[in-house]
């Protein structure tokens, strides 16, 4: 059975974006495209309505491309447990109020016991200083915190 993986909004955004002139972002885009082509089939992908809503915002042409990536990926329900956990993550200061949607991404994945959360958001999600507190709150609520990683961290070094 494949491990489950929640795609946070930055992944379809980087996957479909015009090539960036910012060097680091361009590298992230290239890694995302390589991961998508070579590694995504090793995981059972999931998204949520939150990802779909965020991907549908902004430039209409770009939104169509982002949403096309999500079309066949199963959606996870935004349950009451996920909403409660997201509120705990913010109210207990693991993430600031401005990152409430980021807290909800983690909470949705945790409530559904997803193995990995894939993101390029290293400010609020894939952040070594924040993760222990988020993980403790997930576990205290009876959920299993996903391992939060970037595509670079899931490239693999050999065939499993």
């Amino acid at each position: 059975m494949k491990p489950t993986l929640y795609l946070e909004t930055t992944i379809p955004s980087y996957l479909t974006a015009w090539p960036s002139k910012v060097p680091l972002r361009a590298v992230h885009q290239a890694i995302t495209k390589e991961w998508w082509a070579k590694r995504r089939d090793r995981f059972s992908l999931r998204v949520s309505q939150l990802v779909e809503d965020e991907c549908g915002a902004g430039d209409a042409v770009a939104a169509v491309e982002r949403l096309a990536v999500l079309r066949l990926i199963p959606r996870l329900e935004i349950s009451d447990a996920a909403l409660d956990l997201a509120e705990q993550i913010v109210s207990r200061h693991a993430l600031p109020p401005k990152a409430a949607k980021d807290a909800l991404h983690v909470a949705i994945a945790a409530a559904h016991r997803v193995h990995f959360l894939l993101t390029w958001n290293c400010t609020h999600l894939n952040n070594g200083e924040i993760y222990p507190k988020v993980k403790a709150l997930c576990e205290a609520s009876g959920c299993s915190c996903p391992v939060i990683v970037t595509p670079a961290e899931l490239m693999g070094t050999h065939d499993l």
Side-chain angles (χ1 to χ4, degrees):
M1 186 164 133
K2 295 178 185 179
T4 52
L5 183 144
Y6 180 92
L7 291 174
E8 184 268 337
T9 310
T10 56
I11 302 306
S13 295
Y14 277 55
L15 186 62
T16 62
W18 290 92
S20 178
K21 293 180 182 175
V22 176
L24 183 58
R25 183 167 288 155
V27 168
H28 288 175
Q29 288 173 328
I31 291 169
T32 301
K33 289 177 183 186
E34 182 178 0
W35 182 87
W36 191 260
K38 295 180 179 178
R39 300 287 297 177
R40 74 174 161 146
D41 289 339
R42 294 180 183 256
F43 302 91
S44 181
L45 304 181
R46 300 290 186 269
V47 294
S48 67
Q49 186 63 49
L50 177 58
V51 174
E52 190 168 324
D53 292 347
E54 290 177 333
C55 283
D59 180 83
V61 173
V64 167
E65 291 181 37
R66 290 188 297 267
L67 291 171
V69 168
L70 306 180
R71 190 169 47 87
L72 298 177
I73 301 172
R75 304 297 179 274
L76 298 175
E77 175 189 357
I78 302 175
S79 64
D80 289 340
L83 292 169
D84 291 344
L85 177 55
E87 191 211 318
Q88 287 292 313
I89 290 170
V90 173
S91 69
R92 302 255 178 139
H93 309 291
L95 290 176
K98 69 180 180 180
K101 288 182 180 179
D102 296 331
L104 186 54
H105 285 298
V106 173
I108 293 165
H112 288 278
R113 300 194 176 282
V114 171
H115 299 102
F116 297 98
L117 186 154
L118 193 66
T119 184
W120 280 112
N121 178 340
C122 296
T123 302
H124 295 125
L125 293 176
N126 187 5
N127 181 311
E129 291 180 282
I130 292 171
Y131 184 75
K133 194 181 275 191
V134 170
K135 183 178 181 195
L137 289 168
C138 289
E139 291 172 354
S141 73
C143 296
S144 177
C145 190
V147 178
I148 302 173
V149 293
T150 66
E153 294 171 291
L154 284 186
M155 284 304 291
T157 57
H158 60 286
D159 290 335
L160 300 176

